[in-house]
Amino acid sequence: KAGVTQTPRYLIKTRGQQVTLSCSPISGHRSVSWYQQTPGQGLQFLFEYFSETQRNKGNFPGRFSGRQFSNSRSEMNVSTLELGDSALYLCASSLVPGQTLSGNTIYFGEGSWLTVV
Amino acid sequence: SQKIEQNSEALNIQEGKTATLTCNYTNYSPAYLQWYRQDPGRGPVFLLLIRENEKEKRKERLKVTFDTTLKQSLFHITASQPADSATYLCALRGNNNDMRFGAGTRLTVKP
């Protein structure tokens, strides 16, 4: 079955603009989480959605937001872009959120490379 | 505060040798720990999960150990190959139920 699909793969924006990234999870997966990856900070958790509700949020400013639709697809938005927002944004899907006894493997997409100039 | 530390930023070994990567954590009581592989410009790929009641887990040439007393996991790749060159990440669930990753170890296997 198809993996996690992220679009667009690459994009360039200028400071002050806003951007929307899209993620389609693996079929049947209802939990979607977003991560930002930069060389200096590594992989950092942004937020997690399940059944259209945000369940967890990382330590990022309010300029970073997201949502999940009834078909489990998710979008994240970054407003008023700053140079420091340049990063690889990764989406991951899993069957359910949270920690379970059986472990909850998450599957990543290829990411969206955002460059802010 | 919760921390995940992977001992080396980079590790270079000769083909055929065993690579050993370390993941140490503090202020976690994880029910399980995961290891991922990430190639440049790609998303991480899940490799192995080991539970707190498991001492060791194997998958082909990969072996993971988990010592909850030492708060440490070791990740071994035996008979390493140049194709094993990648960054390897360990991951734990944080208190907020978010998946947290170590900074990763970049492994280079030289022919």
Side-chain angles (χ1 to χ4, degrees):
Chain A
K1 57 185 177 184
V4 179
T5 305
Q6 291 188 245
T7 56
R9 186 82 169 95
Y10 303 94
L11 66 167
I12 300 174
K13 292 285 188 178
T14 56
R15 277 180 296 176
Q17 286 187 313
Q18 65 93 28
V19 66
T20 299
L21 308 176
S22 179
C23 173
S24 293
I26 292 172
S27 178
H29 284 193
R30 297 169 60 196
S31 177
V32 172
S33 49
W34 288 89
Y35 294 82
Q36 181 197 65
Q37 188 172 35
T38 59
Q41 298 296 320
L43 262 170
Q44 291 190 288
F45 172 76
L46 279 159
F47 24 64
E48 181 178 39
Y49 287 87
F50 177 73
S51 294
E52 302 176 66
T53 301
Q54 186 181 88
R55 290 180 58 93
N56 285 305
K57 191 176 192 305
N59 190 26
F60 279 82
R63 299 185 296 107
F64 292 81
S65 63
R67 59 177 176 169
Q68 186 180 35
F69 302 97
S70 57
N71 61 358
S72 295
R73 191 177 70 83
S74 177
E75 289 180 347
M76 68 161 282
N77 184 277
V78 187
S79 62
T80 319
L81 284 166
E82 301 177 358
L83 295 179
D85 297 333
S86 296
L88 176 64
Y89 289 87
L90 290 159
C91 168
S93 81
S94 59
L95 282 169
V96 292
Q99 186 170 344
T100 66
L101 286 176
S102 62
N104 193 22
T105 302
I106 59 176
Y107 298 88
F108 284 89
E110 297 289 65
S112 292
W113 283 97
L114 170 65
T115 301
V116 182
V117 297
Chain B
S1 63
Q2 294 182 313
K3 289 184 181 178
I4 303 173
E5 293 179 329
Q6 295 190 241
N7 64 329
S8 303
E9 186 176 325
L11 178 65
N12 298 319
I13 64 167
Q14 207 65 35
E15 183 176 7
K17 301 292 185 183
T18 296
T20 299
L21 286 64
T22 305
C23 176
N24 295 293
Y25 58 91
T26 53
N27 293 322
Y28 281 92
S29 296
Y32 60 86
L33 183 147
Q34 300 181 352
W35 284 89
Y36 289 78
R37 168 183 172 141
Q38 186 173 24
D39 291 287
R42 313 293 292 272
V45 174
F46 170 76
L47 294 175
L48 280 169
L49 178 151
I50 186 164
R51 298 182 180 86
E52 60 178 341
N53 61 347
E54 297 175 317
K55 295 293 184 188
E56 181 180 298
K57 199 113 180 234
R58 291 176 186 260
K59 179 183 175 183
E60 297 171 355
R61 295 183 295 109
L62 307 180
K63 185 179 85 170
V64 173
T65 63
F66 193 15
D67 189 326
T68 55
T69 302
L70 290 178
K71 296 187 184 299
Q72 181 182 81
S73 175
L74 299 178
F75 177 81
H76 306 272
I77 305 175
T78 58
S80 61
Q81 305 165 0
D84 295 327
S85 298
T87 296
Y88 293 86
L89 305 160
C90 66
L92 296 168
R93 281 276 173 188
N95 288 342
N96 199 30
N97 236 4
D98 53 320
M99 187 71 80
R100 298 189 183 181
F101 290 80
T105 296
R106 187 174 66 252
L107 174 67
T108 302
V109 181
K110 298 182 178 179

